[in-house]
């Protein structure tokens, strides 16, 4: 991969704004007209908020570790980051960085434990519950995924680790919604009751 191109636009926009990104990059959002863009230049990871209406961007964080995925909290007060070690690519966990004190970070989740049933983690995704009280953090291997649901009210973590679990769809009404793990598309969409 030489790079990626991100197209940004809103309802009624005739020409989307295009950004050329480095090979290791991602985008999350939109969040009230803003998109969170993460890039890594082999030395540092950078997170920027791109404001679509104003046509500008603002750097919100840098890290010597690789930020592989990030999202904003529902109240837009902090960034949630999934980081890996730059040299070894070992999972470092999930961190919260307040936007009003960007140098202070708090680890929300420890690295996910290795599990031979799932193999190495290739992708990590985030999804918020509709009420913003729970965060799903999904770690996927080559064929199946594990999802940790963090309850921000009390810090409890619920793990859903089923070899039939595929990509994350979302959290709704106390249920984790995922695709089934299957060899091709389309895969069935299933819900896991977090209380049962």
């Amino acid at each position: 991969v030489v790079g990626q191109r991100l197209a940004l636009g809103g309802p009624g926009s005739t020409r989307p704004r295009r950004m050329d990104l480095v090979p290791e990059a991602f985008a999350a959002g939109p969040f009230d007209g803003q998109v969170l863009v993460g890039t890594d230049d082999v030395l540092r990871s950078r997170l920027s908020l791109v404001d679509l209406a104003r046509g500008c961007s603002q750097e919100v964080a840098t890290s010597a570790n690789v930020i592989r995925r990030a999202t904003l909290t529902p109240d837009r007060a902090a960034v949630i980051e999934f980081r890996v070690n730059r040299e070894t690519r070992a999972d470092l966990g999930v961190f919260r960085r307040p936007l009003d004190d960007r140098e202070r970070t708090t680890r929300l989740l420890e690295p996910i434990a290795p599990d031979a049933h799932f193999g190495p983690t290739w992708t990590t995704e985030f999804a918020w519950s509709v009420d913003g009280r729970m965060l799903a953090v999904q770690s996927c291997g080559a064929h199946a995924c594990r999802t940790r649901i963090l309850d921000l009210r009390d810090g409890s973590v619920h793990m859903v680790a089923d070899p039939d679990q595929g990509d994350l769809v979302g959290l709704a009404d106390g249920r984790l919604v995922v695709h089934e793990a299957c060899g091709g598309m389309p895969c069935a969409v299933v819900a896991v009751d977090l209380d049962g």
Side-chain angles (χ1 to χ4, degrees):
V1 176
V2 206
Q4 300 185 61
R5 179 164 289 160
L6 175 64
L8 303 165
S13 62
T14 55
R15 275 184 63 207
R17 177 180 177 187
R18 299 191 191 287
M19 295 175 65
D20 289 326
L21 303 177
V22 296
E24 190 159 7
F26 65 88
F31 307 101
D32 296 328
Q34 296 182 320
V35 174
L36 183 64
V37 177
T39 59
D40 190 87
D41 65 5
V42 186
L43 299 174
R44 294 197 73 72
S45 280
R46 288 180 171 72
L47 295 178
S48 300
L49 271 174
V50 179
D51 190 309
L52 301 178
R54 296 182 183 158
C56 61
S57 66
Q58 170 190 9
E59 186 172 279
V60 294
T62 63
S63 175
N65 295 311
V66 179
I67 301 172
R68 292 295 307 267
R69 182 72 60 207
T71 189
L72 289 178
T73 55
D75 63 5
R76 312 297 185 252
V79 176
I80 305 296
E81 305 168 4
F82 168 67
R83 301 181 197 164
V84 298
N85 179 282
R86 182 163 301 283
E87 286 75 35
T88 65
R89 296 298 168 137
D91 184 337
L92 296 175
V94 176
F95 296 80
R96 181 182 188 278
R97 181 188 304 265
L99 289 175
D100 62 357
D101 186 2
R102 297 177 187 172
E103 298 305 313
R104 182 173 57 89
T105 61
T106 305
R107 189 191 316 248
L108 297 177
L109 288 173
E110 295 291 327
I112 194 164
D115 186 328
H117 292 100
F118 297 90
T121 296
W122 296 103
T123 62
T124 300
E125 296 295 335
F126 293 127
W128 289 99
S129 61
V130 175
D131 61 12
R133 295 186 309 193
M134 293 190 294
L135 173 66
V137 179
Q138 188 180 64
S139 304
C140 294
H143 301 291
C145 304
R146 296 178 285 168
T147 305
R148 293 176 288 172
I149 294 94
L150 171 65
D151 189 325
L152 295 172
R153 294 169 295 184
D154 60 13
S156 63
V157 179
H158 182 89
M159 169 76 88
V160 179
D162 184 332
D164 292 331
Q165 182 186 159
D167 297 336
L168 178 64
V169 175
L171 285 173
D173 295 327
R175 293 182 179 96
L176 172 67
V177 182
V178 296
H179 288 104
E180 281 188 337
C182 67
M185 288 299 229
C187 299
V189 174
V190 296
V192 178
D193 189 338
L194 297 178
D195 291 330

